[in-house]
Amino acid sequence: MKSRKEHSTNSINEKYWKEHCGITQILSLIGGRWKINILVYLLNEKKLRYNELKKRLVGVSERMLIAKLKELESDGLINRIVYQEVPPKVEYELTERGKSLEDILNRMEKWGEANLPVK
Amino acid sequence: MKSRKEHSTNSINEKYWKEHCGITQILSLIGGRWKINILVYLLNEKKLRYNELKKRLVGVSERMLIAKLKELESDGLINRIVYQEVPPKVEYELTERGKSLEDILNRMEKWGEANLPVK
DNA sequence: TTTCATACTCACTTTTTTGTTAGTACCATA
DNA sequence: TATGGTACTAACAAAAAAGTGAGTATGAAA
C-alpha cells in the first residue's frame, strides 16, 4: 500500500480534524468508495466469504477489496476468520464495534433512499 | 473546477453505486475533508458568513472552502444569502434538506467521540 | 489618492485514492 | 501430469481530491 506523506498539508489537516472532531474520525473509518457497502453487506448477511463480497461489490477490484478489508480489520470494525483448508476459505464478519454502527448505517441508508433523485 | 472523466471506471463505479444505493448517495453529499464540518457548524450556529466559516475550518484553503460550499449549495443542502453591500457580505445556512441530516450528524458525532482513541 | 475589507477566481502542483494486469501458493481432482 | 478454485500480492498507471499563491471587484474611509 502507498504510504502517506506525513508532512503534507493534506495529512496534517486530516490528523488535526481526526483528533479534534469525532465526526471526521467516523468518516475516515467508513468513507471512500467501498467500505460502507462492505459494512452494510456484513450487517445484513452476518458472515461472507471473500468471493461472496466480491460478487456483491459490483465493479470492485481485488486490490481495492483487499485493501479496504484490511483497513476495516485494523480499525477494529470487522473480523477475518481463516479456515485451514485448501482451497483457502476466509470469512469476514462485523466486530461488536462494527455492529455498533448499525443504527447510523440504517439511518444513512434511509435518508439516502428518500433523497435519491438529487439534482 | 476540474472535470471528471465520464468514462473512467472510477466514475462508472461511482455512478452505479449512487444510483443503486442510498448510503453511497449520502456519502457523496457529505464525504471528503470539509463538507461534513461545514454542515455541523451551520447546524449549531444557524448562519455563518464566509469568513466565519473559514476561521472555524482550521487549515482550509479558499479554493476548497468555496468549492465545497458550491457543492453543498448545488446539492440543496445549504443556502447562500448575498447582501448587496460593500465590502461584500455573504451568509450560509442550512436548507430544510440540510437540516434533515441533523439526527444522522449528531449520531455520527456521538459515535465518533465515543470511539476516538482508535488503534 | 491610497488603503482596506470581503468574498471570491484562476492556473498550477502535490498528494491520495482508485483501477489494471499479471502473477502466487496450496492441494485435490481429472 | 495438468487443471482448477480460493484468497490473496505487487508493480504500475490513471483519476480525483486537496493545496498554493497570486489576483479581482467594489466602494467606503483615511
Side-chain angles (χ1 to χ4, degrees):
Chain A
M1 248 172 294
K2 299 270 190 43
S3 58
R4 300 183 54 119
K5 313 252 158 139
E6 285 296 310
H7 300 299
S8 65
T9 305
N10 192 330
S11 72
I12 289 167
N13 280 341
E14 185 180 21
K15 188 159 178 282
Y16 174 90
W17 283 95
K18 268 198 203 171
E19 283 170 3
H20 289 76
C21 166
I23 209 162
T24 300
Q25 161 71 17
I26 185 175
L27 255 193
S28 83
L29 298 188
I30 68 177
R33 169 97 69 257
W34 304 108
K35 291 205 278 189
I36 208 168
N37 285 301
I38 295 173
L39 294 174
V40 170
Y41 281 118
L42 292 177
L43 203 52
N44 294 332
E45 311 196 53
K46 307 307 171 197
K47 263 185 196 170
L48 286 170
R49 297 182 64 170
Y50 175 80
N51 262 353
E52 294 172 326
L53 276 168
K54 195 168 166 234
K55 270 177 220 146
R56 284 161 179 73
L57 295 168
V58 175
V60 75
S61 66
E62 311 260 350
R63 177 172 132 41
M64 290 310 295
L65 181 49
I66 291 287
K68 295 309 159 179
L69 287 169
K70 276 190 183 165
E71 286 176 32
L72 289 168
E73 194 192 356
S74 89
D75 287 333
L77 296 178
I78 66 173
N79 281 140
R80 179 169 178 270
I81 308 158
V82 182
Y83 296 85
Q84 288 304 338
E85 298 175 10
V86 171
K89 174 174 174 184
V90 178
E91 289 186 330
Y92 294 91
E93 64 174 12
L94 294 180
T95 60
E96 284 311 309
R97 190 213 280 278
K99 285 180 199 159
S100 73
L101 285 168
E102 175 162 19
D103 177 49
I104 290 173
L105 295 181
N106 283 155
R107 281 167 199 269
M108 287 178 76
E109 208 164 8
K110 214 170 143 195
W111 193 99
E113 306 278 323
N115 289 269
L116 260 187
V118 181
K119 288 185 195 177
Chain B
M1 245 172 294
K2 299 275 192 39
S3 58
R4 298 183 54 117
K5 313 251 159 139
E6 286 295 312
H7 299 299
S8 65
T9 304
N10 192 330
S11 71
I12 289 167
N13 280 340
E14 184 181 22
K15 188 158 176 282
Y16 175 89
W17 283 96
K18 268 197 202 171
E19 284 169 3
H20 288 76
C21 165
I23 211 163
T24 300
Q25 161 71 17
I26 186 175
L27 255 193
S28 82
L29 298 188
I30 67 178
R33 169 97 70 258
W34 304 108
K35 290 204 278 190
I36 208 167
N37 285 302
I38 295 173
L39 294 173
V40 170
Y41 281 118
L42 291 178
L43 202 52
N44 294 333
E45 311 195 54
K46 308 305 172 199
K47 263 184 198 173
L48 287 171
R49 297 182 63 171
Y50 174 81
N51 261 353
E52 295 171 326
L53 275 168
K54 196 169 166 234
K55 271 178 218 142
R56 283 160 179 75
L57 295 168
V58 175
V60 76
S61 66
E62 311 260 351
R63 176 172 132 45
M64 289 311 293
L65 181 49
I66 292 287
K68 295 309 159 179
L69 287 170
K70 277 192 180 163
E71 286 177 31
L72 289 168
E73 195 194 356
S74 88
D75 287 334
L77 296 178
I78 66 174
N79 280 139
R80 178 169 177 271
I81 307 158
V82 182
Y83 297 83
Q84 289 303 340
E85 297 175 10
V86 171
K89 175 175 174 185
V90 178
E91 287 186 331
Y92 294 90
E93 64 175 11
L94 294 181
T95 59
E96 284 310 308
R97 190 213 279 279
K99 285 179 199 158
S100 73
L101 285 168
E102 174 161 19
D103 177 50
I104 290 173
L105 296 181
N106 284 154
R107 281 168 199 268
M108 286 178 76
E109 207 164 9
K110 213 169 144 196
W111 193 97
E113 305 279 323
N115 288 270
L116 259 187
V118 182
K119 291 183 196 182

